[in-house]
Amino acid sequence: MESSNSGPSPGGKPLETAAEEFVAERDGNYASNLEYCLDKWIDWTPDHVQALEDVSTRTMRNYASHLKRRVRADAISASTARTYYNYVSALLNRAVEVGDLVENPAEKREAKKLLPSETTNSGDQQFWQPEQRRAIVSYVDEQARAAIDDPEANPFEPVRNRALITTLAYTGVRGAEVLADYRDERRNGLRWHSVDLEAGVMTVLGKSQDREETALPQQAVAPLERLRTLVDPPADGWPVFPSRHPPSLYSAIEDAGYDKPDGDPWGFCLEHGIEPPSMSTSGARTLLKRLSEEADVPGLEDDEYLTLHGARRGVGEKLYRERGAAAAQRTLRHADPQTTSEMYSHIEASELAEDNTAVFDNE
């Protein structure tokens, strides 16, 4: 985040007011997404940026850099980063139109220079390939089974990891839809009351900020059933994928009014019915790095690992090849079919090449 020694501007329209006026002129999902993104941007801005006229080219350059770092961390896609930036730019364009600003600093070349590129070929993005999916799923399954069969082992983490990996590998959910994202208080992890194992459905907070139902294939249902039986959560509001991060557990224990225990904080939470925090997207990325190495996942370069969003793309790619664009779109819950088509354009190009080859072979 940018820093400055200057204080806030004594005049000018406050950012919150400008955002409220702009959102009020829009409607539908666009208005909801706009409001969400502008609120997040205003929260991100440094303390000295209070009004429209405080927003400089440097402010927007730093915001572009912030978005690029989130893309590199696999928290958002490059296209999503540019969408967020464009929402802010639209706000500043509106400010120019109504006379609150002389020019839009977000449109300056120096401000946009650090935005991640959207020109990456769809085939160059990571997809969990079938052999990669099999490798990591087989590994976590073996680990879970071995821990369950070992009377001296605590099977919780291996069983939780298996449930998480199979959920990612077969449902096409976004990581932040089932894990905690501490940048957004609404995204506090999937809860058991949102999972219907019998019907094979779970309800997640989608990218649109609406609650959305998504399918749970049997490949994910059985590991989740085993996890629930093992944990036996005392309330349906417990997270499906709890964290065993000791500092987080101690914080939950203290928040519940207990003194810090001498023993295992996880066991203390279970014994006293204290709700643990959900595993975060950051924690899941760390886990995926470790599991990718331990499972000897094929097709990965040095320091490369299976990513959260790569799991989602892998589900879409399998469905796109086997069942067509409509099935992929429904599972990934893309509002616009064009999004699905662009994501898997490399498949269409490859199939078109095969068809064209067959045509000219007969010439």
Side-chain angles (χ1 to χ4, degrees), residues 154-162 230 243-245 287 290:
N154 183 342
F156 165 71
E157 283 196 6
V159 170
R160 179 206 62 189
N161 294 348
R162 178 178 63 179
L230 177 67
S243 171
R244 282 198 65 178
H245 182 236
L287 176 65
R290 176 171 67 81

Side-chain angles (χ1 to χ4, degrees), residues 125-147:
Q125 302 176 57
Q126 188 193 91
F127 299 80
W128 286 22
Q129 300 298 332
E131 62 273 15
Q132 294 175 327
R133 185 164 43 241
R134 285 194 297 269
I136 195 167
V137 168
S138 295
Y139 177 76
V140 294
D141 185 53
E142 291 169 3
Q143 293 291 302
R145 291 177 183 273

Side-chain angles (χ1 to χ4, degrees), residues 316-317 319-320 323-334 340 344:
E317 182 176 46
L319 290 170
Y320 199 100
R323 294 290 185 266
Q329 181 194 350
R330 288 195 302 271
T331 298
L332 299 181
R333 291 166 284 119
H334 287 153
T340 313
Y344 302 105

Side-chain angles (χ1 to χ4, degrees), residues 22-217:
F22 186 32
V23 171
E25 296 174 354
R26 301 296 187 267
D27 50 36
N29 285 337
Y30 180 83
S32 299
N33 295 338
L34 181 66
E35 182 177 24
Y36 171 78
C37 292
L38 293 181
D39 284 347
K40 289 296 181 185
W41 173 69
I42 292 171
D43 288 342
W44 169 87
T45 54
D47 290 342
H48 69 272
V49 178
Q50 300 286 331
L52 285 171
E53 62 187 35
D54 298 325
V55 181
S56 64
T57 300
R58 182 185 175 196
T59 306
M60 295 310 300
R61 180 182 173 87
N62 287 347
Y63 183 55
S65 178
H66 163 72
L67 294 172
K68 189 171 186 176
R69 288 195 298 272
R70 292 193 65 194
V71 171
R72 286 176 174 171
D74 201 41
I76 57 175
S77 67
S79 61
T80 297
R82 296 185 75 90
T83 297
Y84 289 174
Y85 188 92
N86 290 339
Y87 277 140
V88 177
S89 183
L91 168 69
L92 301 177
N93 272 334
R94 191 258 182 192
V96 173
E97 292 173 2
V98 301
D100 290 329
L101 283 178
V102 175
E103 60 181 0
N104 180 359
E107 291 302 313
K108 297 291 185 179
R109 186 178 68 85
E110 283 304 307
K112 300 172 72 172
K113 192 174 183 179
L114 296 182
L115 277 174
S117 173
E118 285 186 304
T119 58
T120 302
N121 185 284
S122 68
D124 294 334
Q125 302 176 57
Q126 188 193 91
F127 299 80
W128 286 22
Q129 300 298 332
E131 62 273 15
Q132 294 175 327
R133 185 164 43 241
R134 285 194 297 269
I136 195 167
V137 168
S138 295
Y139 177 76
V140 294
D141 185 53
E142 291 169 3
Q143 293 291 302
R145 291 177 183 273
I148 291 170
D149 292 339
D150 185 349
E152 297 184 0
N154 183 342
F156 165 71
E157 283 196 6
V159 170
R160 179 206 62 189
N161 294 348
R162 178 178 63 179
L164 174 62
I165 294 301
T166 52
T167 297
L168 295 172
Y170 297 114
T171 66
V173 293
R174 300 174 179 88
E177 291 176 336
V178 294
L179 299 162
D181 184 342
Y182 297 120
R183 290 180 296 265
D184 184 348
E185 63 182 14
R186 294 186 66 193
R187 298 194 180 279
N188 62 350
L190 182 68
R191 305 285 155 158
W192 282 113
H193 59 59
S194 297
V195 179
D196 187 337
L197 295 174
E198 185 175 349
V201 174
M202 63 180 173
T203 305
V204 300
L205 181 64
K207 185 177 179 180
S208 66
Q209 299 297 304
D210 293 327
R211 305 291 293 179
E212 300 172 355
E213 289 188 344
T214 189
L216 267 177

Side-chain angles (χ1 to χ4, degrees), residues 212-253:
E212 300 172 355
E213 289 188 344
T214 189
L216 267 177
Q218 281 301 310
Q219 291 91 337
V221 168
L224 285 168
E225 287 178 333
R226 188 66 182 87
L227 174 62
R228 178 155 194 166
T229 299
L230 177 67
V231 175
D232 190 21
D236 284 343
W238 269 43
V240 175
F241 306 114
S243 171
R244 282 198 65 178
H245 182 236
S248 300
L249 292 175
Y250 284 129
S251 178
I253 290 169

